[in-house]
Amino acid sequence: RTMREATRCPTCRRPALARKEGKGGTKITELVEETSTSSERAASNSSTAGRANRARPPAGQRPRPSQRASHASQVSALRLTLRISEQLAQAALEVGGGGAAVAAHLVMEHRGVLDSSFSHAGSVAVPQGVAEAIVEASPSLGGADTQLKHQLTSLYQSGRIRRTSWADLTAAGQKEVLKALLEDVSRHLEQQ
């Protein structure tokens, strides 16, 4: 059994998944179906798929779908359902402790955190290409460039990330920036 809409974020205790009607909303069923479809496809392609007489473990001992699904299929599911980059999907899974639902929740709540916590007036300077690359990785942040720059500035000032242009960051450095942003989102959600 899955809790679906009743699933709570382990970080902020708010609903981790919600039915959001309208533009930008992600249906829970899309996330669940993509993850389970990928799992089933991987299972049918394995060498043990032809052994139909194999006994199934009792229900309490069966791995949950999120445990059966490989990291790659979870990344794929997040990318397809949330329309985000692979790098952001990987960072979200790491910050979310490997759970696709928590990772999706963090990505979907990022815009709300920007709007509620970083709506300061005035412009701030961030290294070249950083804000643009983040909006490209997560298109739902489009139009919140100023708030995103304020969030980045707070992370630079705290020493959590280095002030480096996106082009000068390694792939691992870019992923660290994305992880720092999502960890900050998680922290803000905990405080609400």
Side-chain angles (χ1 to χ4, degrees), residues 42-119:
S44 67
N45 291 338
S46 71
S47 61
T48 61
R51 299 179 189 166
N53 293 334
R54 193 174 272 211
R56 294 180 72 180
Q61 295 175 0
R62 277 187 225 138
R64 290 184 287 159
S66 63
Q67 293 169 330
R68 285 191 311 246
S70 69
H71 182 75
S73 66
Q74 287 180 321
V75 168
S76 177
L78 288 171
R79 289 185 66 206
L80 291 171
T81 57
L82 301 177
R83 293 172 176 76
I84 59 175
S85 73
E86 181 175 353
Q87 210 171 31
L88 181 59
Q90 290 173 347
L93 280 169
E94 286 182 30
V95 173
V102 175
H105 179 66
L106 289 171
V107 171
M108 291 189 298
E109 289 294 326
H110 193 175
R111 177 64 184 254
V113 167
L114 290 178
D115 291 340
S116 65
S117 301
F118 296 99
S119 57

Side-chain angles (χ1 to χ4, degrees), residues 4 6 13 16 18 28 38 49 55 83 85 90-92 101-102 104-105 108 111 127 130 132 151 157 172 175:
R4 296 188 182 234
R13 307 306 304 158
I28 296 167
S38 299
R83 293 172 176 76
S85 73
Q90 290 173 347
V102 175
H105 179 66
M108 291 189 298
R111 177 64 184 254
V130 176
E132 295 83 358
Q151 183 185 22
Q157 290 172 345
K175 190 173 175 183

Side-chain angles (χ1 to χ4, degrees), residues 85 87 128-138 148 166-167 174 178:
S85 73
Q87 210 171 31
Q128 183 178 4
V130 176
E132 295 83 358
I134 293 166
V135 170
E136 185 177 326
S138 182
L148 179 59
W166 193 257
Q174 293 172 352
L178 296 172

